[in-house]
């Protein structure tokens, strides 16, 4: 088994025959009709976080609408990336956010938030370690972003036996690290 870890914003699943197994977070509309096998492997829950220092010096954050007055660390500059959909107890709302920093690297967004640069949307499993260390605290407690599905996309050309073993191993690891 050989692994290639490509963290670029382009999607390896757009060319399913190039990889044995590709992981895709989010919708898989482009995969319909490609012949690839798609298997959901985890659900990724996301919430908002910031450093306690940032929240102490910023304007109060009491409701989702208040996010518009905060420096939010966003994924990119495209308008859809800056519209955060939030939900709590059956209520839903959307807020257009902005900020001075944008990066498509989730680890860097987490680090920037822990260094007092603003509010960030992160997977709960990733933020848990930073919250435990005291680097981040939950922001807008009770509100969360819609969950996303992490899927394994197995190409037609792949050795199904090896691909199946890898996907099953990945599922077991993700269950142990509490992504779901």
């Amino acid at each position: 088994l050989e692994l290639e870890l490509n963290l670029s914003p382009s999607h390896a699943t757009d060319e399913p025959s190039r990889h044995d197994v590709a992981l895709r977070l989010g919708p898989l509309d482009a995969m319909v009709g490609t012949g690839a096998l798609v298997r959901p492997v985890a659900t990724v829950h996301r919430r908002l976080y910031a450093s306690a220092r940032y929240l102490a010096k910023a304007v109060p954050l009491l409701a989702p609408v208040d996010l518009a007055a905060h420096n939010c660390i966003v994924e990119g500059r495209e308008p859809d990336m800056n519209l955060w959909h939030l939900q709590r107890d059956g209520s839903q709302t959307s807020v257009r956010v902005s900020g001075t920093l944008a990066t498509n690297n989730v680890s860097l967004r987490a680090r920037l938030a822990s260094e007092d640069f603003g509010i960030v949307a992160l997977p709960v499993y990733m933020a848990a370690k930073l919250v435990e260390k005291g680097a981040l605290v939950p922001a807008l407690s009770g509100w969360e972003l819609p969950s996303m599905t992490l899927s394994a996309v197995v190409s037609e050309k792949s050795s199904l036996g090896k691909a199946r073993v890898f996907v099953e191993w990945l599922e077991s690891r993700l269950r142990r690290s509490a992504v779901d």
Side-chain angles (χ1 to χ4, degrees):
L1 179 65
E2 294 179 9
L3 296 175
E4 174 187 348
L5 184 60
N6 181 339
L7 301 176
S8 74
S10 63
H11 301 292
T13 54
D14 292 343
E15 297 179 58
S17 63
R18 194 169 159 245
H19 303 281
D20 290 323
V21 179
L23 299 177
R24 181 80 176 256
L25 185 61
L28 293 167
D29 300 337
M31 297 311 304
V32 175
T34 64
L37 301 171
V38 178
R39 180 171 169 173
V41 294
T43 301
V44 178
H45 299 281
R46 302 174 301 144
R47 294 194 182 113
L48 301 177
Y49 300 89
S51 71
R53 290 178 303 274
Y54 171 83
L55 291 174
K57 67 181 180 183
V59 298
L61 180 61
L62 305 173
V65 68
D66 298 333
L67 287 166
H70 282 267
N71 193 41
C72 295
I73 304 164
V74 295
E75 187 174 344
R77 295 291 179 206
E78 293 157 24
D80 287 351
M81 292 179 169
N82 300 330
L83 185 62
W84 286 356
H85 304 284
L86 300 167
Q87 53 197 28
R88 178 181 75 178
D89 300 328
S91 297
Q92 296 183 352
T93 189
S94 297
V95 179
R96 185 152 312 278
V97 298
S98 62
T100 56
L101 296 164
T103 177
N104 63 4
N105 185 298
V106 68
S107 296
L108 182 55
R109 287 196 305 272
R111 181 173 177 187
L112 291 167
S114 70
E115 294 179 4
D116 311 333
F117 283 96
I119 297 172
V120 65
L122 292 175
V124 172
Y125 75 91
M126 175 184 273
K129 294 171 187 165
L130 295 166
V131 169
E132 188 177 303
K133 291 178 183 177
L136 292 177
V137 296
L140 278 181
S141 192
W143 288 93
E144 61 182 39
L145 290 91
S147 299
M148 297 177 79
T149 300
L150 178 67
S151 299
V153 181
V154 180
S155 75
E156 289 181 307
K157 74 166 187 91
S158 176
S159 162
L160 291 180
K162 283 184 182 180
R164 181 184 51 80
V165 169
F166 172 73
V167 171
E168 288 173 357
W169 171 84
L170 180 63
E171 285 178 307
S172 73
R173 293 289 297 182
L174 292 174
R175 272 194 300 276
R176 280 197 305 248
S177 58
V179 172
D180 283 337

